[in-house]
Amino acid sequence: MSSRNARFLALFAILVLLTPLIAACGNGGTNNQANTGQATTPAEGENTSGDVTATEPAGDTSTSEPTEATGDTAATEAPEAVATIPDQAEGRPAGEETAIAAATAPIEATAAVEATSIGEKLDLGNLSPAIPDPKEQVTVTFASWVGDGLKPFVARFEKLHPNIKIKLQDVPAEQMQDKLTTQIAGGNAPDAAFVDNGTVGAFGTRNALVNLDPYIAKSAAVKPDDYVEAFAKAATVKGSMYGLPFDGESTGLFYRTDLFQQAGIDGPPETWEEFMDAAKKLTNKEKKQYGFVVFAPEATYYWYPWYWQTGARLLSEDGKQVAFNGEEGKRATEFYVDLARNYSPPDLLNSNSWDGRVAFGNGKVGMYVAGAWFAGTLLDEYPKIKGKWATAPLPKDKQCATTIAGDSLVVFEQSKNKDAAWKWIEFLSAPQNMALWNVGTKRNPGSLLPPRKSLLNDPQVFANNPILKGFAEQMECGVSDPAFDNEQWYEIEEAINENLGKAIYGDIEAADAMDEAALAGQDILDAQK
């Protein structure tokens, strides 16, 4: 099972928020000519700064965050660097991507409100004045699975740049890499795209993407040093940036405070031992109630944090030998498999994180690992349990560790409109637009993390959704595993996932699963020599 699918849920949660959030209006910069059919003339008192403006659906749709959801989000002590998921073109598990997509369904906006106050307010019409707009109208094709959320941004951009039209191409997240691969092979790649972070490395190493360094050097909006290190690394190939990080998330622990109280558990577990003990106390098989939930098809993605918490790495330092079947790897796997076999719903072992959210919401499981997007899902889909759940950092072993993932904006080498495509992704990357995309507004808060340090350090960034603070702090507990730089890691990951599944179902022992995966993984590495 690919890793890409685990990250997708976060995106859905935010798109629902964004479509209603934004209305095109105003002018900005030198390219402020009227663009008939794209936006109405600003009314008196309406924003004319060039910013994309947030909008609201009819009626009061404000949502209040659960107070207990923010009380336990303080990060554990930070270890090393932040971790990106190799997402071999694949990042969040499929179930999570499905949930995110569902949460981002468009909502008709009817009333304009203030734009987000977060982020440096740049002149959106003149972000790279040294790069002129085309003298004649051109069309930039842009592939993504978040088109509905981008439409308001398109309208604002086209008003600022009347000679550049954006044509959105909708591609399901789980099909994006295969679709792009086919298009590149056929010579008809889109001009630009919104892709999973892992896709940047996958295509950047094949010379399919434009090296953005020359553009970045002329940009007032894009500052490489401002990106969170792990996200910048994910968008970098051989020392140059081939993508612009656009959104991100980390994972944490969601737990049912009502079930914890019933089981006599004082608070969220902070160590492996406490986690296993809580899972045991929360499990009552006669009542079909369980402490945790594990999904065999997405096993590797959720296994990574436990493995990294031992301090181990997936490959040897020189990258030529598998290392995940060492003593620490087997210990982490035995812990993980024990949770699956004894304290996870048997009927969900072959399921995915989309179904897992239902199990948590219905009280079938007491603990669930997910990104901040899940808080919005709980508030929207399970309002009756408001006040009955909270969040906390993942428990730790020798160190804390979590997964982070995100999406980036790229331009393809085959594009005939590279300058225009650059202006579009640069516009999206402007601080005020990135903030609006990720954190939303007070009445329509987002649930993703902007991958720029200046935004994360802004005191207002968590005002819309306080629960994001803990998840932002969790980013410090990531692990930048060198294995993800290997172009064939996704093949090794598939071997790990297959054998983890066998162990979860009881077909082989946990230690044997690691050895079997290591044999397959080593064959892949040896073939590279």
Side-chain angles (χ1 to χ4, degrees), residues 198-228:
T199 303
V200 180
F203 287 133
T205 55
R206 302 175 199 172
N207 300 316
L209 302 179
V210 172
N211 182 338
L212 300 178
D213 286 355
Y215 286 108
I216 293 172
K218 301 174 183 178
S219 176
V222 180
K223 300 176 182 178
D225 291 343
D226 193 33
Y227 289 114
V228 174

Side-chain angles (χ1 to χ4, degrees), residues 65-66 69-70 73 254 372 375-376 389-391 462 465-472:
E65 294 79 8
T70 60
T73 53
F254 286 77
W389 57 270
T391 66
F462 305 118
N465 188 353
I467 199 173
L468 288 177
K469 186 175 187 295
F471 286 88

